[in-house]
Amino acid sequence: MSNDHRDNDDGMEESDPFLFGLFEHLFDDDYPLSEDVIKFRKDFTVKQLGDYLAEYKHYDLYAGEDAIHKWIMDKYSWLPHQIKELSWSELDFILRDNEINEAVQFGHDKYKSE
């Protein structure tokens, strides 16, 4: 495995504003990141997204990754063990939903105005 952890074709383009905006900072062409840094940044991004989603959907008992799992359970009627078995690329695909984009915009607008 090389030290360069960038995907050749990650499927994200600037036309995918949610994922492109949140993940564009994951990779720097001049400085390959370690697996630990990539994992930390992905985990942080998922937590931030989940927090926005929890507030947007009024999930008072959920935050971070739990809010994302709750949203997937509600939307697709999946069981928790099915959601926890998702790979990062599968989760990435599921999170390309318009409702997720709306939650992110809601979060950005709220925190930008405070």
Side-chain angles (χ1 to χ4, degrees):
M1 177 180 213
S2 77
N3 288 334
D4 187 354
H5 300 291
R6 292 172 303 224
D7 293 331
N8 291 333
D9 181 17
D10 60 10
M12 287 188 288
E13 299 176 9
E14 290 187 41
S15 61
D16 299 315
F18 160 66
L19 290 177
F20 185 81
L22 287 177
F23 296 132
E24 68 181 340
H25 67 282
L26 281 178
F27 303 105
D28 180 340
D29 288 337
D30 298 325
Y31 182 74
L33 302 175
S34 72
E35 290 289 337
D36 291 338
V37 171
I38 292 169
K39 180 175 178 1
F40 171 80
R41 288 187 177 183
K42 285 181 179 180
D43 290 347
F44 177 80
T45 301
V46 166
K47 182 195 175 312
Q48 183 177 26
L49 168 62
D51 290 348
Y52 287 165
L53 186 61
E55 199 166 354
Y56 179 74
K57 297 292 285 181
H58 306 287
Y59 292 157
D60 296 332
L61 301 175
Y62 301 94
E65 191 174 1
D66 290 338
I68 293 171
H69 289 181
K70 168 81 169 124
W71 177 79
I72 294 171
M73 286 170 45
D74 291 348
K75 183 160 180 104
Y76 299 106
S77 300
W78 290 359
L79 298 172
H81 77 274
Q82 293 171 306
I83 297 165
K84 289 179 181 178
E85 292 174 356
L86 293 172
S87 70
W88 179 256
S89 62
E90 291 166 332
L91 183 61
D92 173 55
F93 180 78
I94 290 168
L95 295 178
R96 291 174 185 256
D97 187 278
N98 276 343
E99 192 169 25
I100 297 294
N101 284 323
E102 291 169 12
V104 169
Q105 188 60 51
F106 170 82
H108 287 313
D109 290 347
K110 181 177 189 302
Y111 293 104
K112 184 171 55 173
S113 66
E114 288 183 351

